Amino acid sequence: DSMKFVSRVLVIGVCLALAGPAFATGMYMGPGGDIADDAYDGTLGSMFASTLSVPAGEPDGDEIADVWLEVDAAHTWVGDLVIKLEGPAGLMTLVSRPGLDEDADDGLGCCGSSSDWVFGAAQTFMDGADILAEDMGDAGSPLAAQILQPTGVYDGFGTPETSLLGTYGGSSAVGDWTLYIGDSAGGDLGSVEAWTLHLTTIPEPVTLSLLALGGLVVIRRR
């Protein structure tokens, strides 16, 4: 009868809620371009910028559960570089002049790690990885040996307040995401081949109220 039907609908809703969210993944690629030599002065306008857009509903649901990115670039002095990411929830620094203890984020000072970054050695920026971004090019980093393999690194400072999830976790993935790269010293050139943003999101939950409402509609039709 109708009461039994409503009970079944509510039981199904409870089971779905207890099962927890199902995660969806998406991968988005941004275009490359040249990094202006010795142009960085601490402002976004002085940096190479590449923007991609994440549309609504792609992936299914937009609450970010995880985020990481790969950057395929080449530069003959990695210690010149400052890399930032801006998403719908804000701006963060991924790495700032690796190998150089800076007094300020203003493009001044010399010199960070002299290691080369080569095309095909896409560097992976991911919370919880083994190598700090500030150690890119050090002896313990595959980048120092120019090994053509992805390398996992932390964000620039490795604290919850400046981590990828600390900045974007729980926020909406929908909107524009921009990768910025600045070159802080002359004499070494670089460019970006492409970069890839990886997102894991939580789809919108099916609420018990909607399930119950659907059940009542079916009952009325019966």
Side-chain angles (χ1 to χ4, degrees), residues 80 90 141 143 147 160 173 197 201-202 209:
D80 288 354
S141 165
L143 188 63
I147 298 173
L197 178 71
T201 59
I202 304 174
S209 58

Side-chain angles (χ1 to χ4, degrees), residues 62-85:
D62 67 357
E63 183 181 336
I64 296 173
D66 196 14
V67 54
W68 56 284
L69 67 153
E70 298 170 281
V71 182
D72 189 0
H75 196 278
T76 52
W77 198 293
V78 72
D80 288 354
L81 302 180
V82 175
I83 305 176
K84 299 176 185 284
L85 178 67

Side-chain angles (χ1 to χ4, degrees), residues 13-100:
V14 171
C15 290
L16 288 173
L18 292 176
F23 294 97
T25 59
M27 185 172 67
Y28 306 89
M29 184 171 288
D34 293 333
I35 303 168
D37 187 35
D38 195 20
Y40 183 62
D41 60 9
T43 66
L44 296 180
S46 65
M47 307 177 81
F48 159 82
S50 174
T51 300
L52 59 82
S53 295
V54 176
E58 194 178 313
D60 184 22
D62 67 357
E63 183 181 336
I64 296 173
D66 196 14
V67 54
W68 56 284
L69 67 153
E70 298 170 281
V71 182
D72 189 0
H75 196 278
T76 52
W77 198 293
V78 72
D80 288 354
L81 302 180
V82 175
I83 305 176
K84 299 176 185 284
L85 178 67
E86 186 172 30
L91 176 72
M92 68 168 295
T93 299
L94 293 167
V95 61
S96 183
R97 309 289 300 278
L100 176 66

Side-chain angles (χ1 to χ4, degrees), residues 119-218:
F119 285 135
Q123 301 300 293
T124 301
F125 295 86
M126 175 186 295
D127 291 342
D130 294 333
I131 303 171
L132 290 172
E134 296 300 293
D135 292 335
M136 289 173 66
D138 282 0
S141 165
L143 188 63
Q146 298 182 19
I147 298 173
L148 302 185
Q149 64 183 33
T151 303
V153 293
Y154 280 122
D155 66 280
F157 302 96
T159 65
E161 292 77 16
T162 57
S163 66
L164 285 160
L165 272 181
T167 303
Y168 304 114
S171 67
S172 174
V174 175
D176 289 342
W177 294 76
T178 302
L179 176 74
Y180 295 98
I181 302 182
D183 183 327
S184 300
D188 290 277
L189 302 175
S191 60
V192 177
E193 180 69 20
W195 65 287
T196 306
L197 178 71
H198 298 261
L199 294 170
T200 301
T201 59
I202 304 174
E204 294 295 330
V206 178
T207 64
L208 293 179
S209 58
L210 288 177
L211 285 170
L213 179 61
L216 292 175
V217 170
V218 172

